[in-house]
Amino acid sequence: MMPRVLVVIVALCLAAGVAAAQDIAGDTAALLAFRDAVGRRLPWPSSASSSSSPCGWRGVRCDAAAARVVALQLPGASLVGTVPTGTVGNLTALRTLSLRSNALSGEIPADIGNCGELRAVYLHDNRLSGEIPEGIFSLRLLQRLDLSGNRVGGSVSPEFSKLRRLATLYLQNNSFNGTLPGDLDLPNIQLFNVSYNEKLTGAVPDSLAGRIPASAFSGTGLCGGPLTPCTNPSPPSPLPSPPISPPPAVSQHSKSSKLSGGAIAGIAVGGGAALLVALAVIVLLCFKRRRRKDYNDADENASPPVWVTVARTTTEKQSQSETRRSTAASGGGGKKLVFVGGEPEAPYDLETLLHASAEVVGKGWLGTTYRATLDAGVAVAVKRLRDAPIPEREFRDRVAALASLRHVSLAPIRAFFYSRGEKLLVSDFVGAASLSSLLHTNRARLSFTSRARVALAAARGVAFIHRAAASAVSCHGNIKSSNVVVNASHDGAFLTDYGLVQLIAAAGVPLKRVTGYRAPELTEPTREADVYSFGVLMLEMLTGRAPANAVAGMDGVDLPNWVRSVVEEEWTAEVFDAAIADEMGHAGEEMVRMLRLAVECTDQRPERRPAMDDVAARIERIVESAVRNRNADVDDFESVSDS
Ligand SMILES: *[C@@H]1O[C@H](CO)[C@@H](O)[C@H](O)[C@H]1NC(C)=O
Ligand SMILES: *[C@@H]1O[C@H](CO)[C@@H](O)[C@H](O)[C@H]1NC(C)=O
Ligand SMILES: *[C@@H]1O[C@H](CO)[C@@H](O)[C@H](O)[C@H]1NC(C)=O
Ligand SMILES: *[C@@H]1O[C@H](CO)[C@@H](O)[C@H](O)[C@H]1NC(C)=O
């Protein structure tokens, strides 16, 4: 027996010498060498030989044919020491490498450049030192690189510009020195951070100055861009000095050009109907101009809000009061704002709305949402719907049906404006923090219990829509984390954009919804499809991962399939978001119950999915029991600290 195994091993080693790491055996050998060097405590089979398949090992994922290792994900796995060459660097089919939150030291392996398929490299929160190896810059497919929280030094190489797909570059909390390359060109960058590298000096490169907020450069010696202007002469650099960014006047100019003085003057011209037309045109112009700034949903909260105040003009008082009275009246000649379901306490008209300070809070396929602040300080959310040829009567009836849905978890619709080229929906402004931005962009600290409460509020809202079964709206139609607004004071969440997909679909516009949330059978919005999307939303909250195509700049995953691919015993280590994993101690059972529910909701067969009422009831029990456990913990803690 024994000799035969040896023969196999020797044969395989010889084979590996010939075609090293180009097959699964090479990958296995590389993983075993990796384990011997840094991962003695990994729960991988101790007697594994390079002939056994590593595909089921913790943290190792293979492609569908089990022919190559495509992901090595060992966050917080007590890895210690230096990763040698010939280990990770031999996993040449690797797409995802996550070794974050360990105690890795020494340099990043120099042969990482062999892994030409890498999309995501997460090495943050270790003790890595040295410089970034040259090989990194040959990873042409790389989208995310997070080296933050290490001791990596040297300069930030101009070769980063070779990584044309890079969307995330996190280098904060390291020891980088020198200047940032003046001609740094990262066309797809979304998230960039070099803060807390004390020895970085010089100017913020031009290409980053307009797109990246100041906090990404704090704790450094950098200047210009969003920071204080550089004083001349610019700090001397020991490196061959790249051209320093242009004087700050240039970037300031581009900012102040958002709404020119000419446009404001233009608003003050004209009266009556002409005034409204002019206003509409100018507001459209402003919206268009600002659109360039907010390049995606994911950035919603990453940059400080841009406030644009449109100048105030006067108009005849009686037309205002007329507008107020036009509740549900058909448009007639002049187009007016129509209140549905009763006027607000302090009524406003279209003109007031168009004059209000506006800020983009969300943007998607259905249109763009603005927060408009009215005179009394009251904020409303204005949704500018994408253009669709909906007849006015149908639009009015459908909006009236949507507005008749009143529930604590639904952001209430108050008014609409209809004209051929412009359709606005006005609802209460319920907050700017979407669940998507909290989970993916701001990485806000959201405990499991908070997440479960948000899920409960959202589930109740969806269940209400399903029960109400208003003729025009039998389901939400577009459940995703960017349509869930988290509001702490409300202790829960609001759903937005319910029924709007159907509204647009009524005009025959082909639907486009985020693939990661879309039920496999989906042809048109249904309750079962809502349950599927809701299941994906729960998976997103539990795993902290973005569904496919949900967040710009993030390589999302097919969450239902991914979670199903992990056996239940491994959920704790593999599936749950690291940010809530430490709550396993007191809420582990609830977390697993919630995950099981999410898996049920995302069943491929629509008829197997639970009804939304049932989902809400089950989440309610999960929340209750999580809160009970937490209170017990708090009591224990207090009794200990009191004594
Ligand atoms: C990695 O690949 C090289 C050749 O490319 C080979 O010599 C080496 O043995 C491999 N390492 C392991 C641990 O298999
Ligand atoms: C980076 O350093 C700053 C200041 O020392 C600290 O507040 C922050 O938490 C650190 N962040 C990380 C990701 O290590
Ligand atoms: C920058 O860091 C590298 C590596 O740590 C070091 O060799 C170099 O001397 C440093 N340069 C400066 C100007 O400190
Ligand atoms: C950059 O990182 C620092 C330290 O972790 C953090 O405080 C800051 O908010 C980050 N800024 C951005 C824009 O990511």
Side-chain angles (χ1 to χ4, degrees):
M1 191 71 192
M2 205 48 201
R4 203 173 290 173
V5 173
L6 271 180
V7 169
V8 171
I9 294 174
V10 168
L12 278 165
C13 288
L14 288 177
V18 181
Q22 279 166 15
D23 55 14
I24 194 75
D27 286 354
T28 310
L31 288 170
L32 291 176
F34 174 84
R35 195 251 311 263
D36 291 346
V38 299
R40 299 281 166 97
R41 295 168 64 183
L42 285 176
W44 292 352
S46 55
S47 60
S49 73
S50 46
S51 60
S52 53
S53 167
C55 294
W57 297 358
R58 175 174 299 182
V60 177
R61 271 198 299 136
C62 297
D63 55 13
R68 293 303 306 271
V69 171
V70 295
L72 181 61
Q73 290 162 296
L74 296 166
S78 307
L79 305 178
V80 183
T82 303
V83 179
T85 55
T87 59
V88 168
N90 277 21
L91 301 171
T92 52
L94 208 57
R95 296 161 68 103
T96 304
L97 175 66
S98 171
L99 304 176
R100 68 181 163 86
S101 311
N102 282 295
L104 296 174
S105 52
E107 301 200 5
I108 299 166
D111 58 355
I112 194 166
N114 295 345
C115 308
E117 297 292 321
L118 274 172
R119 268 79 166 166
V121 174
Y122 304 99
L123 298 174
H124 44 297
D125 300 325
N126 277 292
R127 293 172 206 152
L128 296 166
S129 54
E131 302 190 11
I132 295 180
E134 194 64 17
I136 289 257
F137 306 115
S138 63
L139 303 175
R140 299 297 159 95
L141 302 176
L142 198 62
Q143 292 168 9
R144 314 196 92 214
L145 177 62
D146 193 339
L147 301 178
S148 62
N150 280 292
R151 295 162 196 168
V152 182
S155 63
V156 176
S157 168
E159 292 198 71
F160 271 112
S161 303
K162 285 187 186 169
L163 304 177
R164 307 307 286 169
R165 299 201 182 177
L166 200 61
T168 301
L169 180 57
Y170 275 162
L171 302 177
Q172 64 268 33
N173 299 61
N174 272 293
S175 307
F176 289 101
N177 62 23
T179 58
L180 292 180
D183 54 357
L184 189 67
D185 176 27
L186 301 167
N188 283 308
I189 201 74
Q190 310 274 355
L191 302 171
F192 178 92
N193 203 328
V194 292
S195 62
Y196 303 103
N197 285 286
E198 288 166 29
K199 289 185 221 145
L200 273 185
T201 54
V204 171
D206 225 5
S207 62
L208 299 176
R211 319 160 70 168
I212 306 294
S215 73
F217 307 101
S218 55
T220 67
L222 292 164
C223 60
L227 309 171
T228 50
C230 301
T231 49
N232 280 330
S234 51
S237 150
L239 300 162
S241 157
I244 296 297
S245 287
V250 173
S251 49
Q252 265 163 26
H253 170 76
S254 70
K255 271 195 185 125
S256 65
S257 72
K258 285 208 173 57
L259 190 61
S260 68
I264 295 176
I267 294 169
V269 180
L275 172 68
L276 277 188
V277 171
L279 273 172
V281 168
I282 286 155
V283 167
L284 288 188
L285 278 175
C286 302
F287 283 157
K288 284 228 167 78
R289 271 163 188 257
R290 265 178 296 155
R291 188 175 292 176
R292 222 178 301 145
K293 172 83 185 170
D294 43 272
Y295 38 93
N296 65 51
D297 274 340
D299 196 50
E300 278 164 28
N301 295 293
S303 52
V306 185
W307 292 90
V308 177
T309 310
V310 180
R312 166 152 284 288
T313 61
T314 52
T315 185
E316 289 110 309
K317 285 280 173 274
Q318 78 258 36
S319 86
Q320 277 185 9
S321 45
E322 253 175 51
T323 313
R324 284 182 204 159
R325 266 186 256 293
S326 66
T327 311
S330 78
K335 291 294 183 186
K336 286 161 186 168
L337 193 65
V338 181
F339 287 104
V340 282
E343 280 188 28
E345 271 174 33
Y348 44 87
D349 55 21
L350 182 63
E351 201 200 339
T352 320
L353 204 58
L354 296 180
H355 283 176
S357 313
E359 173 200 356
V360 176
V361 291
K363 191 160 172 290
W365 181 79
L366 281 169
T368 304
T369 309
Y370 302 85
R371 167 197 176 141
T373 308
L374 305 172
D375 285 339
V378 178
V380 293
V382 181
K383 179 126 203 152
R384 209 175 146 230
L385 285 173
R386 65 176 285 128
D387 198 24
I390 317 169
E392 179 162 8
R393 170 175 284 276
E394 177 163 9
F395 184 85
R396 199 181 60 220
D397 291 350
R398 282 177 174 269
V399 171
L402 288 178
S404 71
L405 294 172
R406 287 290 151 89
H407 184 269
V408 283
S409 296
L410 300 181
I413 294 173
R414 301 294 187 191
F416 71 85
F417 171 79
Y418 179 99
S419 74
R420 190 115 70 90
E422 190 67 54
K423 289 160 197 71
L424 304 175
L425 274 187
V426 183
S427 30
D428 287 358
F429 181 78
V430 290
S434 79
L435 181 61
S436 172
S437 66
L438 291 179
L439 287 176
H440 309 303
T441 316
N442 294 348
R443 293 198 198 164
R445 169 90 184 127
L446 271 185
S447 69
F448 168 70
T449 316
S450 317
R451 292 177 201 211
R453 279 182 201 273
V454 168
L456 178 58
R460 285 177 173 157
V462 180
F464 174 79
I465 298 174
H466 288 190
R467 271 199 312 271
S471 56
V473 241
S474 58
C475 61
H476 184 293
N478 198 17
I479 297 174
K480 54 179 182 171
S481 59
S482 53
N483 281 341
V484 176
V485 173
V486 176
N487 184 318
S489 65
H490 176 73
D491 190 24
F494 290 95
L495 292 170
T496 63
D497 282 17
Y498 44 93
L500 297 190
V501 157
Q502 296 92 310
L503 184 70
I504 297 292
V509 177
L511 293 185
K512 183 165 161 266
R513 270 159 297 171
V514 177
T515 43
Y517 295 95
R518 200 169 54 203
E521 79 281 4
L522 188 60
T523 46
E524 57 187 33
T526 60
R527 290 182 198 146
E528 291 78 19
D530 265 3
V531 174
Y532 183 94
S533 308
F534 193 84
V536 176
L537 181 78
M538 279 198 281
L539 292 176
E540 183 180 3
M541 294 167 101
L542 293 170
T543 63
R545 290 170 177 244
N549 297 331
V551 181
M554 274 201 186
D555 199 12
V557 277
D558 178 348
L559 279 174
N561 269 335
W562 175 65
V563 171
R564 278 197 185 82
S565 76
V566 180
V567 293
E568 195 164 324
E569 294 74 53
E570 303 276 295
W571 278 2
T572 313
E574 296 271 317
V575 170
F576 289 112
D577 187 353
I580 55 171
D582 59 349
E583 294 172 63
M584 285 302 291
H586 63 265
E589 195 198 322
E590 288 75 20
M591 287 162 72
V592 169
R593 271 162 66 193
M594 187 112 151
L595 194 55
R596 283 206 196 107
L597 177 58
V599 168
E600 268 182 64
C601 290
T602 53
D603 198 298
Q604 297 280 308
R605 294 149 297 186
E607 69 281 2
R608 294 281 186 97
R609 296 175 201 147
M612 210 57 217
D613 265 331
D614 185 26
V615 174
R618 284 166 70 179
I619 299 179
E620 187 170 337
R621 290 197 291 275
I622 292 172
V623 170
E624 274 168 10
S625 115
V627 168
R628 212 180 309 123
N629 292 351
R630 197 183 54 179
N631 290 344
D633 282 4
V634 170
D635 291 347
D636 283 346
F637 174 73
E638 280 171 354
S639 59
V640 169
S641 53
D642 278 348
S643 57

